[in-house]
Structure formats: structure tokens, C-alpha cells
Amino acid sequence: FLDPQLYYSTFEGKIFKHLEEGICYPKNITRRDWRKQTPELMNYLDMHAENSALLSDSLITPGFFIQNLDWHFDYSIDIYEYCYETYAFEKYYLTLLISNNFFHSKSDVDEMIEDLIDNIDHKEGIYFSICHEKTEEKDYEYMDAQNLANILYFIYSLKNAGFDIMVGYTFFNSILFAMLDCEYVASGWFNNIRKFSRDRFEEIESTGRRKKRYASLPLLTYITFDTLNIISETIDIEELLSDCDIDEYMVEDQDTISFVDLEQQYWQALSIFIDKVNLCHSLPQKISFVLSEIAYAKELYNEILNSLSDDRETYNRIKAGSKHLDSWIMAIETFKKRISLI
């Protein structure tokens, strides 16, 4: 698959200098550009279709960054329908890059679902990504429970309407989307840019050394080596590992593990968990399995925190790093109520 990345066209100009050289993204696209079908935009659509055909028999159609139900959304649908009629591919995916804040409104989510179902004649695929805003939240995996519940409902509703769903730029929350029978749930980047946001290509000051992290399925956390080793003083480190290829080095010689090894471990751990979800045959079974895994992770964290009562600094840091588990539970329970799943 080739991500068209047209959403960059409405971002700040300074971002472009940090993108790949050799790809000519349209700049400063406005509402009238699609209405007038300007050469800059139409040539880009042709170029994207040509490049996609070199890689795939599927086309992810270009779309805009969506913050509200406005022309960015409407024209993304129009471009999808245009590409469907103009370019010859076996399958088509509508790009929906949507602000995380949009999902705080249940009524807006319901309206978008209705518009997608009513206004798209050729219901094939949706390439769905969430654009996250800057936050002071220390738990990288954390998302507001209400937003996450509405995202789950959004995916569930579109899947039921006949769309195949590909979720891009996910982090550990991809295991929640796996419950919903998405086609793909773990695409995108790695490490600190797993969460897509508009400022990721701005230059920032780098301080300190890069921290190594391990994707722990028992803890359902992408955790630093330092924290994992502190925890291993309470719980045997082998109980915290994910049954991945590098696990023997996690026990015997962590210094030999490279960041390339850790990227492969991250994707391998997600794949192991998603394969287990896929062994369940129904949505209730999948939800039950995921909730049981979250409950087990919370039990481990409780055991760890009880052993750290005298070390408040470490206690608070580890407690903050597990906050996402409660948010996930709340989101799943809210989602279950919305679809009347008892």
C-alpha cells in the first residue's frame, strides 16, 4: 500500500522541508482547488495512482486532514469517488485522517458515519488514522476513554456497513481494533512517532540518550528497559516477556539488543496478540479475551505497585505508565453499551 499523504497539503509550510525529497506534495491546498480541479491537485492524483500501481493492486485515495464535518471531509469523499471512476485498481481505500478531538462528540461521530454510508456509492475500504494533539499525559498509550469508545463504535459501524478497515499509525491500542475484524491494525511508524501528529516533522531539541523499550504483552505496555528491570526485582522478568525472538537476550544480555531488534520485537509482539484475538470466533468472545488480558495486566501492575510502597518516585512513575489500562476498560464497556452487547 502507498499512503498518498495529501493531508500534508493543508499543514503548515515549514513541515514540507522535513518530508521526503522527490515527492511533490501539493502545498496550501484550499477549498476551491478541488472545485476547480486545479492542475497541481489533479496532476498529484495521477502521480499517486501511477506510483501506487507500481507497488500494489490497491489504491489508497488521497484525502484531507479532518477536524470537523466540513469541506475537508466532503472533498475526501469526492476524491475517492473520482479515483474509483478514473483509475483501474482491484480495490480502493478512502483516506480518513481525523483529529482525535473530533471523537469527543458522539453526535458528530454519528453524523459522519451516516454521511459515509449514504454518500459513498462504492463501499470498499477505508484507510483510517487518528491525528493526536500535544498532551502532557505521561502514559504514551493513554487515550481519553470517551474518545476511544467512539472510535471503536466508528470502526464497528463502518465495518458493519460493508467497508474493510485499515487502521494506520497505531500503537499498543491496535489490539483493541483487532477485536473489530479490521483488515490491518498495526501499520505505520515505530517508537516515538507511532502516534501520528502534525508536529512530528518539526525540528526539536534532543536531550539525553535514546531509551530502549520492550513491548510487554503480559503488561500490555511498551516499557523502558530501566522500568522493566526495576519491575523484575519483584516479578521474574520471564513472566513479563512476550515470547518473542529476542527474549533470551532480554534475560541474559540486554546490551546486545539493537533498536532494529526492538522494532522487530514490537511488531512481532503485536502479531502474537492479534493472532490470539483472531482465534476467537465472535465479537463477544474477542472482547472477553481482550478484557481478560487487560485484567491480568492490571493484576501484575498491582503486585508490582504493592512492592514499591516505600519508593514513591518509582511507584508514581509505574502507576502513571499503566493508566491506559483503566481507560481501555472504560472505553470497551462504553462501546459494549452502545452496541447493546451484554
Side-chain angles (χ1 to χ4, degrees):
F1 300 99
L2 179 62
D3 185 341
Q5 300 181 334
L6 181 64
Y7 35 77
Y8 287 123
S9 66
T10 54
F11 287 3
E12 295 80 0
K14 61 185 176 181
I15 291 179
F16 287 98
K17 64 182 180 181
H18 303 298
L19 297 175
E20 266 186 83
E21 294 182 2
I23 299 180
C24 300
Y25 298 98
K27 299 179 178 65
N28 302 317
I29 293 295
T30 62
R31 184 172 188 167
R32 66 178 178 271
D33 288 294
W34 173 248
R35 188 172 65 249
K36 294 184 176 182
Q37 299 200 352
T38 59
E40 181 186 26
L41 181 56
M42 304 314 291
N43 290 340
Y44 176 75
L45 297 184
D46 290 341
M47 180 190 73
H48 173 63
E50 291 173 7
N51 290 337
S52 295
L54 298 174
L55 302 173
S56 174
D57 56 8
S58 297
L59 178 69
I60 299 178
T61 66
F64 298 105
F65 171 50
I66 299 165
Q67 295 176 286
N68 302 290
L69 290 165
D70 58 11
W71 67 270
H72 299 85
F73 173 61
D74 296 334
Y75 285 177
S76 294
I77 294 177
D78 290 347
I79 290 173
Y80 170 84
E81 293 290 353
Y82 171 85
C83 290
Y84 186 95
E85 298 292 346
T86 305
Y87 308 114
F89 286 85
E90 291 188 14
K91 193 167 185 178
Y92 302 81
Y93 292 83
L94 163 69
T95 292
L96 291 178
L97 175 68
I98 305 175
S99 169
N100 177 45
N101 288 339
F102 175 85
F103 289 97
H104 201 67
S105 170
K106 176 180 176 295
S107 60
D108 284 349
V109 172
D110 287 337
E111 185 176 350
M112 179 176 283
I113 293 170
E114 183 178 352
D115 286 347
L116 288 168
I117 293 173
D118 291 345
N119 296 326
I120 294 181
D121 296 327
H122 309 99
K123 295 178 176 60
E124 295 209 3
I126 290 177
Y127 174 54
F128 169 57
S129 300
I130 303 163
C131 185
H132 298 269
E133 289 73 31
K134 284 185 176 180
T135 175
E136 298 301 320
E137 176 58 54
K138 294 181 179 180
D139 183 352
Y140 190 89
E141 313 296 338
Y142 177 82
M143 285 185 67
D144 176 81
Q146 182 64 40
N147 290 20
L148 185 52
N150 284 332
I151 290 168
L152 293 175
Y153 181 74
F154 179 74
I155 294 173
Y156 168 84
S157 299
L158 294 177
K159 187 76 174 63
N160 282 355
F163 293 98
D164 290 328
I165 309 295
M166 183 194 313
V167 187
Y169 304 112
T170 57
F171 37 108
F172 238 112
N173 63 4
S174 59
I175 67 176
L176 306 183
F177 306 139
M179 300 185 304
L180 306 176
D181 289 331
C182 296
E183 246 189 331
Y184 303 96
V185 295
S187 64
W189 292 313
F190 167 70
N191 218 359
N192 69 332
I193 52 175
R194 290 169 295 143
K195 279 185 175 179
F196 185 97
S197 67
R198 297 207 293 174
D199 64 343
R200 282 301 178 207
F201 293 95
E202 296 176 2
E203 291 182 354
I204 58 174
E205 293 296 326
S206 178
T207 58
R209 63 183 178 87
R210 185 181 177 191
K211 292 183 177 180
K212 291 183 177 180
R213 293 177 178 270
Y214 179 88
S216 171
L217 293 182
L219 293 174
L220 294 181
T221 303
Y222 191 45
I223 193 167
T224 65
F225 278 26
D226 292 342
T227 302
L228 192 66
N229 290 330
I230 290 172
I231 291 173
S232 68
E233 295 175 6
T234 301
I235 297 177
D236 191 310
I237 193 170
E238 293 191 14
E239 294 185 37
L240 308 174
L241 302 181
S242 305
D243 196 23
C244 293
D245 294 340
I246 69 167
D247 283 1
E248 63 178 294
Y249 301 102
M250 288 296 299
V251 177
E252 298 173 2
D253 190 2
Q254 294 180 1
D255 290 338
T256 63
I257 300 174
S258 69
F259 284 101
V260 173
D261 295 329
L262 291 172
E263 178 171 3
Q264 294 173 346
Q265 187 273 329
Y266 171 74
W267 296 117
Q268 185 182 14
L270 288 182
S271 179
I272 289 170
F273 192 96
I274 291 167
D275 284 345
K276 292 179 180 178
V277 173
N278 289 338
L279 291 175
C280 304
H281 300 296
S282 66
L283 177 61
Q285 289 176 338
K286 291 179 180 182
I287 290 177
S288 178
F289 171 75
V290 172
L291 283 173
S292 68
E293 293 299 297
I294 297 173
Y296 178 68
K298 282 180 62 64
E299 288 179 10
L300 286 178
Y301 267 114
N302 288 336
E303 183 179 347
I304 294 160
L305 293 172
N306 287 338
S307 71
L308 294 170
S309 56
D310 295 331
D311 184 353
R312 299 309 298 178
E313 181 180 352
T314 304
Y315 176 97
N316 291 334
R317 175 156 50 87
I318 292 178
K319 184 175 177 62
S322 63
K323 184 179 177 182
H324 64 284
L325 298 175
D326 290 320
S327 173
W328 287 1
I329 293 172
M330 291 176 61
I332 293 173
E333 294 299 338
T334 301
F335 166 67
K336 286 170 61 180
K337 291 178 182 176
R338 287 206 66 183
I339 64 172
S340 301
L341 182 63
I342 307 300

